[in-house]
Amino acid sequence: MNMKSRFLDYIGQLRIYSLVDLTLLLYVIDSNKYELIGGILLHISFLAYLESEHKHKYRAIMPKWIWIILLIPGILLYNHFSVLGFIIVSYFYTLKNKKYYGPIAPLLRGMQCLFLVGGVAGYESFITWLVLPIIFIRNLIGDVRDIEKDRKEDLKTLPIIFGLKKSIPYIHLIFLLFTSLIWFSYSTFRYYYLIGIWVIEVTTYNLTKR
């Protein structure tokens, strides 16, 4: 893999399409700039740790030290006790390739966002509890997208357990656009911001090798 390909591969591992959606979500719950940057760093740290542990053959290997460098400033900037819950469920999500964790992975992703949003917006806020089922469904749909790949890797996700055979390639992207629409409805942005967000999500989606 040459330097350009490796760079693009690392960009793909950031899942920019998902980061844009998360940034919008953190913005609409009135995160200040420190909470916003901290939340983004926490999520990227999680992705870096995930990639360094899973070591997919079709992706460049993520150096193990990157996640801790991102985690520490993420914790300090986010500055809410909820970060502990985020870290715990993030770790258990990285065990998705283990026998007993694949089926609960969508719930763990939903709980990640629950803790990130709850720390800022509070646990009495409707949107805090809205993100749990929305992200759960989105991650479950991501497993539908990856059925054939996950079966080859011997993962036990819910779609595989339920006997589904065929992957549906872009169903996850469609639901991602829908979730961004939901977060956008809580903002005061004009519609062309949403179009810009959707363009970024669509154009970066296939940078992530699957």
Side-chain angles (χ1 to χ4, degrees), residues 26-27 30-41 77-78:
L26 291 172
Y27 179 85
D30 293 326
S31 302
N32 62 42
K33 61 183 178 181
Y34 302 109
E35 293 166 335
L36 180 64
I37 295 172
I40 292 171
L41 288 176
L77 289 170
Y78 181 72

Side-chain angles (χ1 to χ4, degrees), residues 15-22 24 109 134-135 137-139 141-142 145 170-183 194 197-198 200-202 204-205 210:
R15 296 163 175 79
I16 294 173
Y17 55 88
S18 182
L19 279 174
V20 170
D21 181 80
L22 176 63
L24 175 61
R109 280 288 287 120
I134 293 295
I135 300 301
I137 294 170
R138 193 174 83 189
N139 195 259
I141 289 175
R145 174 199 64 197
Y170 288 102
I171 188 172
H172 179 260
L173 174 59
I174 293 169
F175 198 80
L176 171 71
L177 300 177
F178 176 65
T179 60
S180 293
L181 174 61
I182 294 174
W183 315 145
L194 177 61
I197 289 167
W198 279 349
I200 294 172
E201 290 172 346
V202 170
T204 61
Y205 193 77
R210 300 181 179 88

Side-chain angles (χ1 to χ4, degrees), residues 4 20 32 53-54 58 68 128 130 138 158 160 187:
K4 180 180 179 181
V20 170
N32 62 42
E53 288 296 305
H54 285 196
Y58 45 85
I68 192 67
T128 297
L130 177 64
R138 193 174 83 189
L158 284 175
I160 290 174
S187 77

Side-chain angles (χ1 to χ4, degrees), residues 63-148:
K64 283 185 173 293
W65 49 267
I66 290 180
W67 71 269
I68 192 67
I69 291 177
L70 296 168
L71 179 65
I72 293 172
I75 292 172
L76 295 175
L77 289 170
Y78 181 72
N79 195 29
H80 291 287
F81 188 71
S82 285
V83 74
L84 180 60
F86 173 85
I87 291 171
I88 291 171
V89 296
S90 295
Y91 169 73
F92 282 112
Y93 182 86
T94 65
L95 302 177
K96 181 180 179 179
N97 56 350
K98 308 296 183 183
K99 183 177 180 180
Y100 298 107
Y101 291 95
I104 65 170
L107 176 62
L108 294 171
R109 280 288 287 120
M111 292 177 68
Q112 275 185 315
C113 285
L114 171 73
F115 284 120
L116 274 185
V117 173
V120 177
Y123 291 95
E124 70 284 354
S125 171
F126 175 75
I127 195 171
T128 297
W129 295 99
L130 177 64
V131 299
L132 178 59
I134 293 295
I135 300 301
F136 169 84
I137 294 170
R138 193 174 83 189
N139 195 259
L140 180 59
I141 289 175
D143 288 340
V144 173
R145 174 199 64 197
D146 295 334
I147 288 173
E148 294 174 48

